[in-house]
Amino acid sequence: MSTNVETVLEPNPKRVGQDSGGIESFFYDNKIVRDFGIATVFWGVAGMIIGTLIAFQLANPDVNLGNQYTTFGRIRPLHTNAVIFAFVGNAIFMGVYYSLQRLCKSRMYSDLLSKLNFWGWQLIIVAAVITLPLGMTSSKEYAELEWPIDIAITLIWVVFGWNMFGTIAKRREKHMYVAIWFYIATFLTVAVLHIVNSYALPVNLFKSYSGYAGVQDALVQWWYGHNAVAFFLTTPFLGLMYYFLPKAANRPVYSYRLSIIHFWSLIFIYIWAGPHHLLYTSLPDWAQSLGVVFSIMLLAPSWGGMINGLLTLRGAWDKVREEPVLKFMVVAITAYGMATFEGPMLSLKNVNAIAHFTDWIVAHVHVGALGWNGFLTFAMLYWLFPRLYKTQLHSKKLANAHFWLGTLGILFYAIPMYWAGFTQGLMWKQFTPEGTLQYSNFLETVLQIVPMYYLRGIGGVLYLSGVFLMIYNLYKTAKSGALEANEAAVAPPVVKEVSHNAGHWHSWIEKRPMQMAIWATVAILIGGLVEFIPAFVIKSNVPTIASVKPYTSLELQGRDLYIKEGCVNCHTQMVRPFRSETERYGEYSKAGEFVYDHNFLWGSKRTGPDLHRVGGKYPHSWHYHHMLDPTSMSPGSIMPAYPWLFEQDVDLTTTQKKLEVLKQLGVPYEDEYIANANQELMNQAREITADLAKEGLEVRPESEIVAMIAYLQRLGTDIKVKAEEVEE
């Protein structure tokens, strides 16, 4: 069922006024749209420059620049936060603030709230730019920012929702177009995801511990992580697609009924799929299976949206040849289709067994990020700026050049990463005819793919070059016109019906935002509750192991250094139950081993080997030399050196407070141990330094390297003591 684009998007005010009378004059706020547009471009460039830098860091460790603030482990989360929340986040606000006003026939509810939204969001990004390179991180993927910033995100997100719902409440167009449904679902779901996943107890202003531990923390994190992709990188952009694609093509949406099915099935199914990030881990099998089933089901609504988008261009494909905006949109929607086909495929256990922890996943993510989010954002910018400045785009040739540079950049990025991923997955599992690992030294598998890392970096340079062309093009476009900060508009107080949908059963809820919000919330809560309640309530999901004890005070400080340095970005702590992994690393990981891990550190990428069984594998001196100069122990290693760990001391003022917070979270520390925490720390540290001294290595016991060694030597050693699993 197709719908007339002018009826759905922007009814002719004069025609409506002749029917109903009472025409009202008002002004759209274009300045806030322009401001978010500029922020989108600025942070996009910043995030992509950092991304290009870390791409080359994996090819050549010298690109880490020799200081602690620019290592891959510290700035990889800065890259992800910059491109997701700064670049894409500002693009969402830009598109929503433009389209919502026109769909509602109303100025935004409050100019003050619009400004608070803008400046508050930019300050949050600045806070991320400052804290992440300093190592202030929770280590949770896509949720690394510490608790004060999490609170600020919550407040600014509420400001955005307040402004959005206020605008919807005073709308002059009674019918809510499909784009608004996606905006509502985005706001509500992101709020739920952020609040639940960010639950933590603070140690101080810069440090906190997750309220969840081990298996539960992993389940909550990947419920959040998967659905951050779903409801921050997907649903708002689908809403923007439903607005900007018909406008750019001047064609009606292919099927309004398909958009209804697409919306409700997508938001209901997506929320269940998080456990597919944890296949073959210590997560209970039932949760893994739920994730797989719903991930496969997710293909249908995802492709429903892609088909609805592409078929909207029926009869307008000749325009795609001429209009760079449509070129970007077509590739964006195609990339969305590719990524959402690959996601369910990767959730199949036999495929996941090869792909997980490899660069295949990196390629998959970036097809979506560079193609879907990047290209749709560029299309919106090219479409919006001439309209905001009441002029023509400066140069379609430059826009076309940007398109081809961006497309080549995606290919140069994705193809080498797919190649690297296939290579890794197969080399890790390869056995000789005699039954031993063919590539027993993990480093062999790393060195094989270094050329692919260089090619990936070149892809990043190509993609970024196109963005610089866009900046010049948009600048010249703006200079040739003048910003119409307040665009005059007229509309009747309320348009009672959209005739094409008047008799449809769904039209009732399309006119009632509160009911839409309530049912959307119900749809997104069901999956999470079904997965969380058994995982938290039924104790047998995480059998306790008698020999597993809390970390000592020194080991805890070392663990926090491991988090600070971002080691989890390159090393997993999860040995899966495959022969190839137990041969390489040792006994597979058990759920009960992680009960005191606040936060969990299972990781999602193996640039280096898994570390869950590294404890006791090497002497203290090996770790000492490896951290000082990785190539001295592993010739050809791409890991950077960490000389500052030998110069800086552990902050002993935090030890006791850390133990007290963990005790509040259920870790069984004795009060006497907490009171003597630093004394216990120094006793263990002196044992390590005494051992190092035997090999002529003089180290101060309070230095950070000693705490790091203590933590690494603890990893995986609890179950080396023969113990029975005990269900409580």
Side-chain angles (χ1 to χ4, degrees):
M1 177 181 179
S2 62
T3 313
N4 182 283
V5 71
E6 287 301 324
T7 302
V8 171
L9 293 180
E10 295 186 29
N12 186 316
K14 291 183 179 179
R15 177 176 59 78
V16 175
Q18 289 169 357
D19 294 337
S20 58
I23 297 294
E24 296 179 356
S25 299
F26 60 97
F27 294 91
Y28 294 132
D29 183 1
N30 284 342
K31 184 176 182 299
I32 191 65
V33 178
R34 190 277 312 268
D35 291 348
F36 275 118
I38 292 172
T40 299
V41 174
F42 176 81
W43 291 117
V45 169
M48 291 173 205
I49 288 173
I50 298 167
T52 305
L53 177 65
I54 63 175
F56 284 110
Q57 285 179 341
L58 290 179
N60 183 347
D62 290 341
V63 184
N64 284 272
L65 307 179
N67 75 82
Q68 62 184 307
Y69 307 111
T70 53
T71 60
F72 180 88
R74 295 273 189 104
I75 66 172
R76 187 261 178 180
L78 179 59
H79 163 65
T80 55
N81 277 269
V83 293
I84 295 172
F85 301 110
F87 172 57
V88 174
N90 277 296
I92 292 168
F93 294 132
M94 172 187 71
V96 169
Y97 273 79
Y98 182 87
S99 61
L100 187 66
Q101 294 183 80
R102 284 149 182 86
L103 291 171
C104 292
K105 291 297 171 191
S106 173
R107 189 180 180 89
M108 290 306 297
Y109 173 72
S110 166
D111 287 4
L112 175 61
L113 291 178
S114 297
K115 291 173 184 175
L116 283 173
N117 186 178
F118 177 78
W119 289 110
W121 199 254
Q122 310 319 310
L123 288 173
I124 287 166
I125 298 163
V126 170
V129 171
I130 294 169
T131 58
L132 290 173
L134 291 172
M136 299 173 190
T137 173
S138 71
S139 81
K140 288 192 168 191
E141 202 153 0
Y142 315 136
E144 292 90 351
L145 301 177
E146 271 294 356
W147 69 272
I149 307 175
D150 281 339
I151 292 173
I153 292 169
T154 305
L155 294 175
I156 297 303
W157 195 249
V158 168
V159 167
F160 167 59
W162 183 3
N163 210 9
M164 180 179 73
F165 279 105
T167 305
I168 294 170
K170 70 170 190 173
R171 69 193 186 282
R172 295 179 176 87
E173 174 68 49
K174 191 170 182 61
H175 167 260
M176 293 189 300
Y177 179 58
V178 57
I180 299 177
W181 316 345
F182 280 99
Y183 301 160
I184 289 172
T186 296
F187 169 75
L188 295 170
T189 312
V190 169
V192 172
L193 293 169
H194 177 68
I195 291 169
V196 173
N197 190 54
S198 298
Y199 168 55
L201 286 186
V203 174
N204 53 39
L205 193 61
F206 309 114
K207 177 65 182 175
S208 63
Y209 289 121
S210 172
Y212 319 105
V215 169
Q216 286 99 342
D217 194 33
L219 178 62
V220 172
Q221 160 57 25
W222 282 113
W223 166 79
Y224 164 88
H226 176 77
N227 290 300
V229 172
F231 288 91
F232 203 85
L233 299 180
T234 304
T235 55
F237 269 68
L238 287 168
L240 296 171
M241 177 197 79
Y242 274 117
Y243 180 84
F244 286 99
L245 178 63
K247 297 296 285 183
N250 196 28
R251 301 290 300 168
V253 172
Y254 171 67
S255 171
Y256 207 71
R257 285 181 177 171
L258 181 55
S259 71
I260 295 170
I261 299 168
H262 173 212
F263 171 75
W264 289 106
S265 58
L266 190 81
I267 68 169
F268 174 74
I269 294 172
Y270 232 132
I271 211 81
W272 296 73
H276 77 215
H277 292 264
L278 299 167
L279 300 184
Y280 292 111
T281 67
S282 300
L283 190 74
D285 283 341
W286 64 264
Q288 296 184 38
S289 298
L290 268 179
V292 171
V293 169
F294 279 89
S295 297
I296 295 167
M297 291 167 61
L298 193 54
L299 178 61
S302 297
W303 272 44
M306 178 194 71
I307 290 167
N308 216 8
L310 291 178
L311 290 183
T312 295
L313 291 168
R314 72 206 184 287
W317 285 97
D318 57 308
K319 295 181 181 179
V320 177
R321 289 194 299 270
E322 304 164 3
E323 293 297 330
V325 168
L326 290 178
K327 285 188 177 74
F328 278 109
M329 287 184 172
V330 167
V331 172
I333 296 166
T334 304
Y336 171 68
M338 291 168 61
T340 53
F341 171 80
E342 191 179 22
M345 181 181 72
L346 287 168
S347 73
L348 297 171
K349 279 196 165 186
N350 53 349
V351 179
N352 189 274
I354 297 171
H356 198 48
F357 295 146
T358 74
D359 285 307
W360 183 346
I361 307 303
V362 179
H364 162 65
V365 168
H366 282 80
V367 166
L370 299 174
W372 168 237
N373 297 112
F375 269 32
L376 193 58
T377 297
F378 301 149
M380 289 193 296
L381 287 164
Y382 280 125
W383 191 86
L384 279 171
F385 263 63
R387 284 160 178 80
L388 295 176
Y389 285 89
K390 301 300 176 186
T391 185
Q392 297 295 314
L393 183 65
H394 170 68
S395 171
K396 286 188 178 181
K397 286 185 178 180
L398 283 177
N400 280 317
H402 175 197
F403 170 79
W404 289 111
L405 277 172
T407 302
L408 283 172
I410 294 171
L411 294 174
F412 268 86
Y413 190 109
I415 294 172
M417 285 296 95
Y418 280 121
W419 191 288
F422 302 154
T423 302
Q424 287 169 311
L426 296 175
M427 289 182 76
W428 292 349
K429 292 181 175 293
Q430 186 66 39
F431 282 85
T432 66
E434 292 75 29
T436 59
L437 285 169
Q438 183 164 340
Y439 305 102
S440 57
N441 184 351
F442 187 90
L443 189 57
E444 292 179 86
T445 71
V446 176
L447 297 178
Q448 192 70 29
I449 59 176
V450 166
M452 301 300 106
Y453 287 160
Y454 276 111
L455 286 173
R456 183 255 299 268
I458 292 169
V461 170
L462 288 170
Y463 195 88
L464 183 57
S465 300
V467 175
F468 283 120
L469 283 184
M470 180 188 71
I471 292 172
Y472 174 77
N473 206 356
L474 295 180
Y475 173 75
K476 295 294 286 184
T477 300
K479 290 290 287 183
S480 69
L483 176 68
E484 189 173 18
N486 296 288
E487 182 181 340
V490 292
V494 173
V495 177
K496 293 182 179 179
E497 286 290 352
V498 176
S499 59
H500 292 273
N501 291 313
H504 196 272
W505 62 269
H506 197 259
S507 62
W508 180 85
I509 202 169
E510 291 173 19
K511 296 189 286 287
R512 292 166 174 82
M514 291 312 298
Q515 288 87 335
M516 173 76 75
I518 290 168
W519 282 109
T521 303
V522 170
I524 63 100
L525 285 178
I526 293 172
L529 292 173
V530 170
E531 290 174 349
F532 288 171
I533 291 173
F536 281 85
V537 172
I538 301 173
K539 295 291 184 70
S540 60
N541 280 305
V542 186
T544 57
I545 300 174
S547 59
V548 174
K549 305 297 182 186
Y551 295 104
T552 66
S553 52
L554 181 64
E555 292 160 358
L556 180 64
Q557 290 284 18
R559 190 174 196 272
D560 288 341
L561 288 170
Y562 183 97
I563 291 171
K564 178 181 178 181
E565 297 301 339
C567 303
V568 71
N569 289 295
C570 291
H571 295 281
T572 58
Q573 290 186 24
M574 175 51 60
V575 181
R576 296 173 294 177
F578 302 145
R579 181 180 167 222
S580 58
E581 297 208 1
T582 56
E583 286 285 325
R584 186 183 300 277
Y585 302 117
E587 180 69 12
Y588 70 87
S589 302
K590 313 293 196 299
E593 294 183 78
F594 305 102
V595 292
Y596 303 131
D597 284 13
H598 299 264
N599 309 338
F600 87 111
L601 294 174
W602 294 359
S604 59
K605 173 72 169 67
R606 274 185 194 152
T607 304
D610 188 275
L611 298 181
H612 193 219
R613 300 290 178 222
V614 77
K617 186 176 182 179
Y618 305 106
H620 297 329
S621 59
W622 189 94
H623 291 292
Y624 177 98
H625 290 298
H626 187 246
M627 298 302 292
L628 187 61
D629 178 10
T631 59
S632 66
M633 296 290 103
S634 304
S637 172
I638 60 172
M639 175 178 159
Y642 290 84
W644 50 89
L645 295 179
F646 299 78
E647 302 160 3
Q648 297 172 176
D649 292 344
V650 171
D651 184 1
L652 299 179
T653 63
T654 63
T655 310
Q656 189 169 334
K657 180 63 175 176
K658 287 179 177 181
L659 297 179
E660 289 171 350
V661 168
L662 288 172
K663 184 176 181 180
Q664 286 181 265
L665 291 170
V667 181
Y669 286 112
E670 299 290 340
D671 290 338
E672 184 180 354
Y673 185 85
I674 294 174
N676 299 309
N678 280 326
Q679 182 180 335
E680 296 286 347
L681 181 152
M682 292 303 294
N683 289 341
Q684 186 179 359
R686 291 188 185 99
E687 291 176 9
I688 294 172
T689 56
D691 185 76
L692 290 170
K694 293 175 184 176
E695 299 191 41
L697 302 172
E698 296 297 328
V699 191
R700 291 174 294 104
E702 61 272 18
S703 62
E704 290 182 341
I705 186 60
V706 175
M708 180 70 84
I709 291 172
Y711 173 62
L712 293 173
Q713 294 290 37
R714 170 66 185 274
L715 286 175
T717 58
D718 284 337
I719 67 164
K720 289 183 180 179
V721 179
K722 189 173 181 180
E724 296 180 356
E725 293 189 354
V726 182
E727 290 188 12
E728 293 183 353

